[in-house]
Amino acid sequence: MSVSFMSGSAKRHHTGKGGGGGGGSNGDCEPSMDRFPDHIISHILEKLDLESLCTATCVTPTFRSAVAHILSSLSSVDLSGFSLDEESLKHVVRRVQGAKSLTIDCLQMKNDSSIISILSEHIEDLSLLKCPSLSYNILSAIGERCPNLRSLLIEFAGREAPELFKMKLREMFQKISLLESLSIKIHGVFYDAFDLQSLEILPKSVKKLKLQQTDGHLPILWIHKMKNIHWFKLQVLSLVLDVMSDNLLFTIVESLPLLVELDLEDGPFTETSIQWDLTNDGLESLGVCRHLITLSIVRSNIYYLTSFTRVNNMGMFLLSEGCRGLESVKLGGFTKVTEAGFLSILHACQNMKKFEVLNSSLLSDLAFHNMRGVSRSLIELRLLSCKLITSEAMEELSLFSKLEVLDASGCRSIADPCLIYISSLTTLTKLSLAEADITDMGLAILGRGNSPIAHLCIRGCKRVTDKGIELLFNDEGKICKTLSLLDVGQIPGISDVAIFTIASAAQALTDLCLRFCFHVTDAAVKMLADRSNHNSSLLQRLDLFGCRSLSDDLIMLLLHKSSFRGLRWLGVGLTLLCDKRHNSSAIFNTRPWLVVCFNGCEFGCQDGWQFH
């Protein structure tokens, strides 16, 4: 690779001539660039992110040399936005050999050797994301090669025997004595991935622990055993388990007095498994944790449809009284709690920055009718699948001058009037109104507003049509310049007309979801492919899942480097493009960093990569 580990965007910007900046009479900017002192060039380049640095290598030899020097001195490298193949990863790591922090998307890594070869003793922070092909042997290799490791995050697909995992985990623990943060996620498994023997030999230095998947009784035994060990000072605990109980919370608060962050998620398999379910007493016990600032308690319905039926408003009242220092709260599955219970937390916690409620059938607008006593520091508000929430709940949003994220996905009674209040928020950057009852006129209001929205999701808003998309981008409002991610999936009124509008008007667009847009045809996709030739912002992720009007001829677009020049991820499940899977090797040879997903995953294969 002649220009370092140049990204796809770097390659597409390289034309053989320098861009912008007042070049010579022949349009070549290299002589004028070389007039700048080296330290000025380096100072400018140090302000760029990794991808921009790669692009800069194409400008002049002077820039290329400066970038090479900067890369060699980087202490942190985040490659989570790229699904690199093994050869590309080698090129990358060879040029950043001094990096102490590495984050890698392992979706295209075929075996352990590709990762083992880049492990070394200088690495202190290692994150290995989406590892469908890595074996548990990688754990012992990390222990052997990274003795100075302080933080480890790894995501397995869980295809091997749990006994092997436990053995390799113990081998790793015996080699890394400086570990402070450990996060291990094993996706797609039902068995208990951890055992008491493994957890008992955790390094003494561990302060943050995140484990998935584990039996509900195991953490109780392990945490109880740790409470008498003076060196054990856990501050962050995150567990995904089968059933949450009062006994678990009692053990946590008794044994971990320094706890700052607690994240618990369970997913019961059957009704009998919740006989020792969480109650008001368990929530009340959290008041003992005086240092607690982040709390997440969520019940998942992935295996069995149930909720925390033994917790009501009293539990929330007791929680709010004992934990007034909370700054981030996430509560899911509390179907017996009304607006009074949730509001008590908002009023009690005056430093609240993030508040999220999931699947609450009793949370209504009444919780938001009197927000005068609620903290003005709120940055994120998420109300997911709360069916009683309507547009009236949004009236007092203007009180929160710092609000950046608003997610009301699944709140189907929210309609156009809420957009009047939302469009006045000058700090809002992420908005999700999936399945809301908004119309084209509502999008017109949003398009005329002052919100600098970068991420917008209106998936499943069935009353929206092509006209609404046109009105959203009408008069070149602020959203034309700020919007980078747009999700218009599952909207029957969306056709090629809307896609033409989006392609021409959304100047900063990088991510577009069109899943189950049945009327989108080849013409619209070709327009998006051609957009990269005329727009400074290049499309990086495109979801076409379920777009049944597309023909299999579109696969040829991917074999031409001139189209979709910035594309990193493409979802084509449930389309005729699936019939062209045999061309995947040709696509890979042409675009080695492009992931073509046939499985129906969301952007970037975040929700099902373990089955690929």
Side-chain angles (χ1 to χ4, degrees):
M1 216 179 262
S2 61
V3 287
S4 182
F5 48 99
M6 188 165 60
S7 70
S9 62
K11 294 176 182 177
R12 59 183 170 259
H13 286 308
H14 184 42
T15 62
K17 296 182 179 181
S25 58
N26 293 326
D28 189 348
C29 68
E30 184 172 333
S32 62
M33 290 291 185
D34 284 340
R35 293 173 187 166
F36 288 101
D38 290 346
H39 72 277
I40 297 294
I41 294 176
S42 296
H43 180 72
I44 295 173
L45 293 177
E46 286 171 358
K47 307 296 183 182
L48 303 179
D49 59 21
L50 188 59
E51 187 170 3
S52 300
L53 279 173
C54 295
T55 304
T57 62
C58 306
V59 178
T60 70
T62 301
F63 271 39
R64 187 174 303 137
S65 176
V67 168
H69 176 73
I70 292 172
L71 293 177
S72 66
S73 62
L74 283 179
S75 61
S76 177
V77 177
D78 185 351
L79 300 171
S80 58
F82 303 89
S83 290
L84 301 181
D85 61 297
E86 298 171 9
E87 189 65 26
S88 297
L89 181 62
K90 290 179 182 178
H91 281 286
V92 171
V93 177
R94 188 164 63 238
R95 286 159 174 78
V96 292
Q97 292 185 2
K100 296 182 178 180
S101 175
L102 279 179
T103 300
I104 302 170
D105 183 325
C106 301
L107 193 61
Q108 296 199 57
M109 300 295 113
K110 302 303 181 184
N111 51 60
D112 295 349
S113 61
S114 55
I115 297 299
I116 293 176
S117 64
I118 68 173
L119 299 178
S120 61
E121 61 181 10
H122 67 268
I123 296 178
E124 298 180 3
D125 184 344
L126 180 63
S127 296
L128 302 177
L129 310 176
K130 294 180 285 188
C131 308
S133 300
L134 297 190
S135 75
Y136 294 143
N137 291 318
I138 196 70
L139 292 173
S140 54
I142 290 172
E144 289 286 346
R145 294 172 174 260
C146 305
N148 297 311
L149 196 66
R150 297 181 182 273
S151 176
L152 173 64
L153 186 159
I154 188 166
E155 297 177 334
F156 286 115
R159 293 175 177 170
E160 298 179 285
E163 291 73 20
L164 178 62
F165 169 78
K166 296 169 185 177
M167 180 180 70
K168 296 302 178 181
L169 186 65
R170 290 193 291 270
E171 290 178 3
M172 183 183 72
F173 284 161
Q174 292 169 354
K175 298 290 185 178
I176 48 176
S177 59
L178 301 177
L179 193 67
E180 297 178 359
S181 176
L182 175 66
S183 177
I184 298 181
K185 300 179 181 180
I186 304 179
H187 296 259
V189 299
F190 300 96
Y191 57 77
D192 177 20
F194 302 87
D195 62 7
L196 195 60
Q197 185 180 1
S198 299
L199 296 175
E200 282 180 345
I201 61 172
L202 267 174
K204 299 179 179 181
S205 52
V206 171
K207 297 178 181 179
K208 299 180 180 180
L209 183 63
K210 299 185 178 184
L211 303 178
Q212 171 188 338
Q213 175 89 24
T214 184
D215 180 271
H217 296 289
L218 176 63
I220 296 176
L221 297 173
W222 170 71
I223 296 171
H224 181 75
K225 201 163 188 176
M226 294 298 105
K227 71 177 182 179
N228 295 322
I229 302 179
H230 68 278
W231 51 258
F232 199 72
K233 300 178 180 179
L234 205 63
Q235 296 177 3
V236 176
L237 179 63
S238 176
L239 300 174
V240 176
L241 32 80
D242 53 355
V243 179
M244 209 178 306
S245 66
D246 284 351
N247 197 15
L248 173 63
L249 267 64
F250 294 159
T251 305
I252 289 174
V253 300
E254 180 185 2
S255 307
L256 305 175
L258 301 179
L259 204 61
V260 174
E261 178 180 335
L262 178 61
D263 180 356
L264 301 176
E265 179 182 346
D266 72 0
F269 293 104
T270 63
E271 184 177 3
T272 57
S273 65
I274 58 175
Q275 56 182 325
W276 306 110
D277 206 4
L278 180 68
T279 71
N280 293 339
D281 294 337
L283 287 184
E284 182 183 14
S285 69
L286 292 174
V288 176
C289 300
R290 300 299 180 185
H291 302 283
L292 197 65
I293 62 173
T294 299
L295 175 65
S296 176
I297 298 180
V298 174
R299 169 149 289 173
S300 169
N301 292 326
I302 188 172
Y303 305 120
Y304 176 73
L305 187 60
T306 183
S307 62
F308 293 113
T309 57
R310 301 180 190 180
V311 176
N312 54 29
N313 284 345
M314 181 55 67
M316 293 300 162
F317 295 155
L318 295 171
L319 176 64
S320 62
E321 283 298 314
C323 299
R324 292 179 173 268
L326 288 173
E327 298 180 6
S328 176
V329 173
K330 180 178 181 180
L331 301 169
F334 292 90
T335 56
K336 299 296 183 180
V337 178
T338 71
E339 59 275 344
F342 293 117
L343 188 58
S344 67
I345 296 177
L346 281 172
H347 276 282
C349 304
Q350 288 298 301
N351 291 322
M352 187 70 72
K353 294 180 175 60
K354 300 179 181 179
F355 187 71
E356 182 172 354
V357 178
L358 296 78
N359 303 317
S360 173
S361 57
L362 297 179
L363 178 61
S364 70
D365 295 346
L366 293 176
F368 303 94
H369 280 180
N370 182 17
M371 302 293 284
R372 299 292 173 180
V374 176
S375 169
R376 296 294 175 266
S377 60
L378 200 65
I379 296 175
E380 295 187 18
L381 177 62
R382 301 179 188 269
L383 307 171
L384 279 65
S385 298
C386 299
K387 298 179 181 179
L388 297 182
I389 294 293
T390 73
S391 297
E392 292 184 19
M394 305 294 158
E395 285 190 36
E396 297 203 37
L397 285 178
S398 58
L399 296 175
F400 303 106
S401 59
K402 298 181 180 179
L403 194 66
E404 297 178 5
V405 178
L406 176 61
D407 190 343
S409 300
C411 298
R412 299 182 180 181
S413 297
I414 286 181
D416 289 347
C418 79
L419 292 166
I420 298 174
Y421 316 119
I422 291 174
S423 61
S424 65
L425 298 173
T426 58
T427 57
L428 193 68
T429 59
K430 295 183 180 180
L431 173 64
S432 179
L433 297 173
E435 301 181 26
D437 192 34
I438 62 173
T439 69
D440 294 344
M441 296 313 298
L443 291 184
I445 296 171
L446 190 63
R448 294 193 298 267
N450 295 317
S451 301
I453 297 173
H455 292 188
L456 175 62
C457 175
I458 53 173
R459 178 185 296 189
C461 295
K462 301 187 184 302
R463 298 179 66 188
V464 169
T465 69
D466 293 337
K467 183 63 177 179
I469 301 301
E470 179 185 346
L471 293 171
L472 176 67
F473 294 107
N474 195 26
D475 298 329
E476 296 188 354
K478 181 173 289 188
I479 200 169
C480 294
K481 301 178 179 65
T482 61
L483 192 65
S484 61
L485 183 152
L486 178 61
D487 187 339
V488 293
Q490 300 177 17
I491 301 180
I494 293 295
S495 71
D496 289 353
V497 175
I499 310 308
F500 294 154
T501 300
I502 293 167
S504 58
Q507 302 170 21
L509 191 69
T510 59
D511 300 81
L512 179 61
C513 176
L514 303 174
R515 59 171 47 207
F516 289 113
C517 288
F518 299 122
H519 301 296
V520 172
T521 71
D522 291 9
V525 178
K526 290 176 181 178
M527 173 71 174
L528 291 170
D530 186 56
R531 176 180 179 273
S532 60
N533 296 320
H534 310 285
N535 199 296
S536 59
S537 172
L538 300 172
L539 204 61
Q540 297 177 6
R541 298 188 293 184
L542 176 62
D543 190 352
L544 300 174
F545 182 80
C547 294
R548 300 181 184 238
S549 294
L550 301 179
S551 76
D552 57 3
D553 293 336
L554 287 178
I555 204 75
M556 300 306 297
L557 281 175
L558 302 176
L559 299 177
H560 293 281
K561 295 183 178 180
S562 61
S563 62
F564 284 126
R565 293 185 298 166
L567 205 61
R568 301 179 189 171
W569 185 89
L570 177 66
V572 296
L574 292 185
T575 69
L576 291 177
L577 295 172
C578 288
D579 297 335
K580 293 289 187 177
R581 283 199 193 198
H582 60 274
N583 284 338
S584 58
S585 59
I587 296 172
F588 181 77
N589 291 332
T590 305
R591 302 170 182 268
W593 293 4
L594 174 64
V595 173
V596 181
C597 178
F598 299 92
N599 295 56
C601 293
E602 298 286 351
F603 281 142
C605 296
Q606 298 294 333
D607 61 337
W609 55 266
Q610 66 270 23
F611 302 117
H612 285 14

